[in-house]
Short mmCIF file of all heavy atoms in Angstrom, two decimals:
data_model
loop_
_atom_site.label_atom_id
_atom_site.label_comp_id
_atom_site.label_asym_id
_atom_site.label_seq_id
_atom_site.Cartn_x
_atom_site.Cartn_y
_atom_site.Cartn_z
N THR A 17 0.83 -1.21 0.00
CA THR A 17 0.00 0.00 0.00
C THR A 17 0.87 1.26 0.00
O THR A 17 0.49 2.27 0.58
CB THR A 17 -0.92 0.03 1.24
OG1 THR A 17 -0.11 -0.02 2.43
CG2 THR A 17 -1.92 -1.10 1.25
N ARG A 18 2.01 1.23 -0.67
CA ARG A 18 2.96 2.34 -0.55
C ARG A 18 3.09 3.23 -1.77
O ARG A 18 3.14 4.46 -1.65
CB ARG A 18 4.35 1.77 -0.22
CG ARG A 18 5.38 2.81 0.17
CD ARG A 18 6.76 2.22 0.30
NE ARG A 18 7.30 1.79 -1.00
CZ ARG A 18 8.50 1.24 -1.18
NH1 ARG A 18 9.27 1.01 -0.13
NH2 ARG A 18 8.90 0.89 -2.38
N ASP A 19 3.12 2.64 -2.97
CA ASP A 19 3.59 3.40 -4.13
C ASP A 19 2.54 3.77 -5.16
O ASP A 19 2.84 4.53 -6.08
CB ASP A 19 4.69 2.59 -4.85
CG ASP A 19 5.93 2.42 -3.99
OD1 ASP A 19 6.22 3.30 -3.16
OD2 ASP A 19 6.62 1.40 -4.17
N ASN A 20 1.32 3.26 -5.06
CA ASN A 20 0.36 3.47 -6.14
C ASN A 20 -0.01 4.93 -6.37
O ASN A 20 -0.42 5.31 -7.46
CB ASN A 20 -0.93 2.66 -5.90
CG ASN A 20 -0.86 1.30 -6.58
OD1 ASN A 20 0.21 0.86 -7.01
ND2 ASN A 20 -1.99 0.64 -6.68
N LYS A 21 0.16 5.76 -5.35
CA LYS A 21 -0.17 7.19 -5.52
C LYS A 21 1.03 8.01 -5.97
O LYS A 21 0.92 9.21 -6.21
CB LYS A 21 -0.72 7.75 -4.20
CG LYS A 21 -2.07 7.17 -3.81
CD LYS A 21 -2.58 7.79 -2.52
CE LYS A 21 -3.93 7.20 -2.11
NZ LYS A 21 -4.43 7.79 -0.83
N ALA A 22 2.18 7.36 -6.12
CA ALA A 22 3.38 8.07 -6.57
C ALA A 22 3.25 8.45 -8.05
O ALA A 22 2.74 7.68 -8.86
CB ALA A 22 4.61 7.19 -6.37
N LYS A 23 3.72 9.62 -8.40
CA LYS A 23 3.64 10.08 -9.78
C LYS A 23 4.74 9.43 -10.63
O LYS A 23 5.85 9.24 -10.17
CB LYS A 23 3.80 11.60 -9.84
CG LYS A 23 2.65 12.37 -9.21
CD LYS A 23 2.87 13.87 -9.36
CE LYS A 23 1.72 14.67 -8.75
NZ LYS A 23 1.95 16.13 -8.88
N TYR A 24 4.37 9.10 -11.84
CA TYR A 24 5.35 8.55 -12.78
C TYR A 24 6.57 9.45 -12.90
O TYR A 24 7.71 8.97 -12.95
CB TYR A 24 4.71 8.37 -14.16
CG TYR A 24 4.09 7.01 -14.39
CD1 TYR A 24 2.93 6.61 -13.72
CD2 TYR A 24 4.66 6.12 -15.28
CE1 TYR A 24 2.36 5.37 -13.94
CE2 TYR A 24 4.10 4.87 -15.52
CZ TYR A 24 2.95 4.50 -14.84
OH TYR A 24 2.40 3.26 -15.06
N VAL A 25 6.34 10.75 -12.97
CA VAL A 25 7.45 11.70 -13.14
C VAL A 25 8.43 11.59 -11.97
O VAL A 25 9.65 11.55 -12.17
CB VAL A 25 6.93 13.14 -13.27
CG1 VAL A 25 8.09 14.14 -13.25
CG2 VAL A 25 6.12 13.30 -14.55
N ASP A 26 7.90 11.53 -10.75
CA ASP A 26 8.77 11.46 -9.57
C ASP A 26 9.58 10.17 -9.55
O ASP A 26 10.78 10.17 -9.22
CB ASP A 26 7.93 11.57 -8.29
CG ASP A 26 7.39 12.97 -8.06
OD1 ASP A 26 7.97 13.93 -8.61
OD2 ASP A 26 6.39 13.11 -7.33
N VAL A 27 8.94 9.05 -9.88
CA VAL A 27 9.63 7.76 -9.89
C VAL A 27 10.70 7.74 -10.98
O VAL A 27 11.82 7.25 -10.78
CB VAL A 27 8.64 6.61 -10.06
CG1 VAL A 27 9.38 5.27 -10.19
CG2 VAL A 27 7.66 6.55 -8.89
N ALA A 28 10.38 8.30 -12.14
CA ALA A 28 11.33 8.35 -13.24
C ALA A 28 12.58 9.15 -12.86
O ALA A 28 13.71 8.76 -13.17
CB ALA A 28 10.67 8.94 -14.48
N LEU A 29 12.38 10.27 -12.19
CA LEU A 29 13.52 11.08 -11.76
C LEU A 29 14.33 10.36 -10.68
O LEU A 29 15.56 10.45 -10.65
CB LEU A 29 13.03 12.43 -11.23
CG LEU A 29 12.49 13.40 -12.29
CD1 LEU A 29 11.84 14.61 -11.61
CD2 LEU A 29 13.59 13.87 -13.24
N ALA A 30 13.64 9.62 -9.82
CA ALA A 30 14.33 8.92 -8.72
C ALA A 30 15.20 7.78 -9.23
O ALA A 30 16.30 7.56 -8.71
CB ALA A 30 13.30 8.39 -7.73
N THR A 31 14.73 7.06 -10.22
CA THR A 31 15.51 5.91 -10.70
C THR A 31 16.66 6.33 -11.61
O THR A 31 17.58 5.56 -11.85
CB THR A 31 14.61 4.90 -11.45
OG1 THR A 31 15.35 3.70 -11.70
CG2 THR A 31 14.10 5.45 -12.77
N SER A 32 16.63 7.58 -12.13
CA SER A 32 17.62 7.99 -13.12
C SER A 32 18.56 9.10 -12.65
O SER A 32 19.28 9.69 -13.46
CB SER A 32 16.91 8.45 -14.41
OG SER A 32 16.02 9.53 -14.14
N ALA A 33 18.57 9.39 -11.35
CA ALA A 33 19.41 10.47 -10.81
C ALA A 33 20.85 9.98 -10.64
O ALA A 33 21.32 9.74 -9.52
CB ALA A 33 18.83 10.96 -9.49
N ALA A 34 21.55 9.83 -11.75
CA ALA A 34 22.91 9.28 -11.74
C ALA A 34 23.87 10.22 -11.01
O ALA A 34 23.97 11.40 -11.36
CB ALA A 34 23.40 9.07 -13.17
N PRO A 35 24.58 9.72 -9.98
CA PRO A 35 25.49 10.57 -9.21
C PRO A 35 26.53 11.25 -10.11
O PRO A 35 27.12 10.62 -10.99
CB PRO A 35 26.17 9.57 -8.26
CG PRO A 35 25.16 8.48 -8.10
CD PRO A 35 24.51 8.35 -9.44
N THR A 36 26.72 12.53 -9.87
CA THR A 36 27.62 13.46 -10.58
C THR A 36 27.09 13.86 -11.95
O THR A 36 27.58 14.81 -12.55
CB THR A 36 29.07 12.94 -10.73
OG1 THR A 36 29.16 11.97 -11.76
CG2 THR A 36 29.60 12.38 -9.41
N TYR A 37 26.07 13.14 -12.48
CA TYR A 37 25.48 13.51 -13.77
C TYR A 37 24.24 14.37 -13.58
O TYR A 37 24.06 15.37 -14.27
CB TYR A 37 25.12 12.26 -14.57
CG TYR A 37 26.30 11.52 -15.13
CD1 TYR A 37 26.93 10.51 -14.41
CD2 TYR A 37 26.79 11.83 -16.40
CE1 TYR A 37 28.02 9.82 -14.93
CE2 TYR A 37 27.88 11.14 -16.93
CZ TYR A 37 28.49 10.14 -16.19
OH TYR A 37 29.57 9.47 -16.70
N LEU A 38 23.35 13.92 -12.69
CA LEU A 38 22.08 14.61 -12.45
C LEU A 38 21.88 14.80 -10.94
O LEU A 38 22.41 14.03 -10.14
CB LEU A 38 20.92 13.78 -13.03
CG LEU A 38 20.85 13.70 -14.56
CD1 LEU A 38 19.86 12.62 -14.99
CD2 LEU A 38 20.46 15.04 -15.17
N PRO A 39 21.08 15.80 -10.55
CA PRO A 39 20.87 16.06 -9.12
C PRO A 39 20.13 14.94 -8.42
O PRO A 39 19.45 14.12 -9.05
CB PRO A 39 20.01 17.34 -9.13
CG PRO A 39 20.19 17.94 -10.48
CD PRO A 39 20.43 16.80 -11.41
N LEU A 40 20.27 14.89 -7.11
CA LEU A 40 19.44 14.01 -6.29
C LEU A 40 17.97 14.30 -6.58
O LEU A 40 17.57 15.44 -6.80
CB LEU A 40 19.70 14.27 -4.81
CG LEU A 40 21.03 13.83 -4.20
CD1 LEU A 40 21.23 14.52 -2.86
CD2 LEU A 40 21.04 12.33 -4.01
N SER A 41 17.17 13.24 -6.56
CA SER A 41 15.73 13.39 -6.68
C SER A 41 15.12 13.49 -5.28
O SER A 41 15.53 12.77 -4.37
CB SER A 41 15.14 12.20 -7.43
OG SER A 41 13.73 12.22 -7.37
N GLU A 42 14.15 14.36 -5.11
CA GLU A 42 13.50 14.55 -3.81
C GLU A 42 11.99 14.44 -4.01
O GLU A 42 11.43 15.13 -4.86
CB GLU A 42 13.87 15.92 -3.25
CG GLU A 42 13.40 16.18 -1.83
CD GLU A 42 13.93 17.51 -1.31
OE1 GLU A 42 13.28 18.55 -1.57
OE2 GLU A 42 15.00 17.50 -0.67
N ILE A 43 11.32 13.57 -3.24
CA ILE A 43 9.90 13.31 -3.45
C ILE A 43 9.11 13.70 -2.20
O ILE A 43 9.29 13.11 -1.13
CB ILE A 43 9.64 11.84 -3.82
CG1 ILE A 43 10.49 11.43 -5.04
CG2 ILE A 43 8.16 11.63 -4.10
CD1 ILE A 43 10.28 10.00 -5.48
N GLU A 44 8.22 14.65 -2.35
CA GLU A 44 7.40 15.13 -1.24
C GLU A 44 6.56 14.02 -0.63
O GLU A 44 6.42 13.92 0.59
CB GLU A 44 6.49 16.26 -1.73
CG GLU A 44 5.59 16.84 -0.67
CD GLU A 44 4.68 17.93 -1.19
OE1 GLU A 44 4.78 18.27 -2.39
OE2 GLU A 44 3.86 18.45 -0.41
N MET A 45 6.00 13.14 -1.49
CA MET A 45 5.10 12.09 -1.02
C MET A 45 5.79 11.17 -0.01
O MET A 45 5.13 10.60 0.87
CB MET A 45 4.60 11.28 -2.22
CG MET A 45 3.74 10.08 -1.84
SD MET A 45 3.23 9.15 -3.29
CE MET A 45 2.89 7.56 -2.53
#
């Protein structure tokens, strides 16, 4: 019961935040 309300955009940024290439992803939810 954890992730179904998460936005696709937020998850996409979280999985692709490559260190030194892109910033850390931060999710309000």
Side-chain angles (χ1 to χ4, degrees):
T17 58
R18 190 188 68 180
D19 295 330
N20 267 14
K21 293 181 181 179
K23 293 182 179 179
Y24 268 70
V25 172
D26 288 338
V27 175
L29 289 171
T31 190
S32 59
T36 77
Y37 287 90
L38 291 167
L40 289 164
S41 170
E42 187 174 86
I43 305 181
E44 179 181 358
M45 176 182 158

